[in-house]
Amino acid sequence: MPLRPFTRLAKAGVLGINGRNLDFIAAYNPRKYYPLVDDKVITKALAIEAGVTVPELFGVIRYGGEAHLIEEIAKKHRSLVVKPARGSGGGGIMVFNGVAKAGLRRMNGQITPWADVKYHLNNMLSGMFSMGDGSDRVLIEERLVPHSAFSKLAFGGVPDVRVIVFRGIPVMAMLRLPTAESDGKANLHQGGIGAGIDLVSGITTRGVQHNDSVELHPDFETPVRDFQVPGWPEILELSARLGHHVGLGYVGVDIVICENKGPTLLELNARPGIAIQTANLRGLKPLLMPVHNLPTVPDDVHQRIEICKANWLGEPLDRFVAPGALP
Ligand SMILES: Nc1ncnc2c1ncn2[C@@H]1O[C@H](COP(=O)(O)OP(=O)(O)O)[C@@H](O)[C@H]1O
Ligand SMILES: [Mg+2]
């Protein structure tokens, strides 16, 4: 399929918002599949169907009259996360690690009184933090505990790995690290750190916070580069498998590496951001174009991972094209 003429920025290989929207999202993501990833309750069911581990769902709140259920659920599970089903960018998410008489304990130790928790639930239900118009549902789910390898890299919350998967082939990834500023969330615009990842080895290459380079995590002073992400082969496989399963050609897969559960799917994103390029100091376009030019992609996930690695290393992908598939 033809692509729009290259702009100056695109010549440098950097994918802009318009290029992302027109050439990749509009071209590769059929609208009918959006609801599967735009609603986190539905995504969870889809992931379970694909055999992928997800955070356990403790409950769904659908309207204000159900807000009181949070007390019961919190007393039973003690550690939990509330999030809008159609939220994005970390908006509205609150992470709690304990229950007190007066309310719920945040990751920074502060207690949020019950009345404030319920007020916040009502705000989420009103759609204040959600994509699209109208009201939303609220998920109450298990708080994930990150792998111990992150103990000196993730402040007060869960780091995640964002993988951009194109036609079922991972093309770029970054590790997102929560900071004191980002309050238990790893999203970059909440103040999290993004670290580029070498796709072949799973080792971080460099870090950015608020678009500036960072060498050390501000809360621990530990280097953010040269960190081996645990479970890297499993992360590549999970993202390649799910990216293919969901029917979206261009998708962001967010994965948490848990101490006990292993790689766990947090969410899928049909419009993944482009800041991942800054974290990697590399443009997406030169990685997307060779995959775009493949006549077909293999059904076998391991073959797609071979393509992913060759593509990352800048090797030609002809050897992956079946002779019969050439024009
Ligand atoms: N179940 C969870 N346990 C711990 N932290 C979580 C959980 N869910 C979300 N978070 C934190 O919040 C961030 C955003 O969550 P996510 O589900 O991706 O929502 P959004 O669509 O708003 O980005 C994650 O990167 C993570 O740091
Ligand atoms: Mg997210």
Side-chain angles (χ1 to χ4, degrees):
M1 103 191 39
L3 289 180
R4 292 172 315 115
F6 278 46
T7 62
R8 235 172 67 214
L9 256 186
K11 265 190 206 150
V14 175
L15 183 69
I17 283 286
N18 290 335
R20 180 205 67 171
N21 289 349
L22 294 171
D23 295 335
F24 297 99
I25 294 180
Y28 280 98
N29 289 353
R31 292 206 73 84
K32 64 176 176 190
Y33 294 129
Y34 277 37
L36 300 180
V37 299
D38 283 352
D39 186 309
K40 291 182 170 69
V41 180
I42 303 175
T43 309
K44 225 185 249 293
L46 181 90
I48 292 171
E49 176 193 292
V52 165
T53 309
V54 293
E56 188 189 336
L57 185 63
F58 294 155
V60 178
I61 294 185
R62 291 161 298 171
Y63 51 89
E66 290 182 338
H68 66 277
L69 295 175
I70 184 81
E71 287 199 46
E72 235 169 84
I73 294 173
K75 280 172 188 153
K76 183 163 171 211
H77 297 286
R78 311 206 71 80
S79 194
L80 52 100
V81 172
V82 294
K83 63 170 85 167
R86 289 188 290 110
S88 69
I93 297 182
M94 287 183 91
V95 183
F96 300 108
N97 63 0
V99 189
K101 218 175 161 125
L104 288 173
R105 194 172 64 224
R106 308 262 294 272
M107 298 302 288
N108 62 12
Q110 286 173 6
I111 303 290
T112 303
W114 289 115
D116 292 5
V117 172
K118 287 173 199 164
Y119 179 73
H120 184 64
L121 290 176
N122 277 297
N123 282 339
M124 284 194 276
L125 289 169
S126 76
M128 189 184 277
F129 302 100
S130 307
M131 295 180 278
D133 302 325
S135 56
D136 200 0
R137 299 185 286 176
V138 174
L139 276 81
I140 307 175
E141 70 180 20
E142 167 189 12
R143 179 177 71 87
L144 297 173
V145 178
H147 192 285
S148 53
F150 293 104
S151 62
K152 290 275 177 285
L153 270 177
F155 186 90
V158 168
D160 67 12
V161 175
R162 155 65 59 90
V163 186
I164 303 283
V165 182
F166 182 44
R167 305 184 75 191
I169 296 167
V171 290
M172 197 178 265
M174 71 172 157
L175 174 65
R176 295 185 294 195
L177 302 167
T179 59
E181 185 188 336
S182 73
D183 189 23
K185 294 170 279 193
N187 305 75
L188 299 190
H189 28 283
Q190 306 275 348
I193 292 174
I197 300 178
D198 175 79
L199 278 192
V200 177
S201 63
I203 295 174
T204 57
T205 53
R206 63 190 298 275
V208 286
Q209 188 185 25
H210 297 304
N211 265 327
D212 295 323
S213 274
V214 279
E215 285 293 327
L216 303 176
H217 191 293
D219 307 310
F220 302 103
E221 310 240 310
T222 33
V224 295
R225 69 168 73 200
D226 295 330
F227 171 76
Q228 172 72 61
V229 176
W232 185 246
E234 291 87 346
I235 292 171
L236 278 185
E237 185 172 335
L238 187 159
S239 48
R241 194 182 292 287
L242 207 56
H244 199 59
H245 181 83
V246 71
L248 293 169
Y250 189 79
V251 65
V253 182
D254 292 357
I255 298 164
V256 173
I257 306 121
C258 296
E259 184 69 38
N260 304 325
K261 296 167 72 108
T264 303
L265 178 82
L266 209 48
E267 64 155 342
L268 296 171
N269 205 306
R271 307 164 204 78
I274 52 177
I276 191 169
Q277 299 172 111
T278 322
N280 279 279
L281 206 67
R282 201 165 168 180
L284 268 165
K285 223 152 188 170
L287 292 160
L288 294 170
M289 290 312 291
V291 175
H292 165 82
N293 289 331
L294 286 173
T296 56
V297 290
D299 280 334
D300 180 71
V301 68
H302 297 107
Q303 282 180 32
R304 294 203 302 281
I305 288 169
E306 287 309 303
I307 298 178
C308 144
K309 291 179 178 171
N311 191 43
W312 181 255
L313 295 171
E315 295 170 3
L317 301 183
D318 331 347
R319 66 188 152 105
F320 299 103
V321 177
L326 283 172

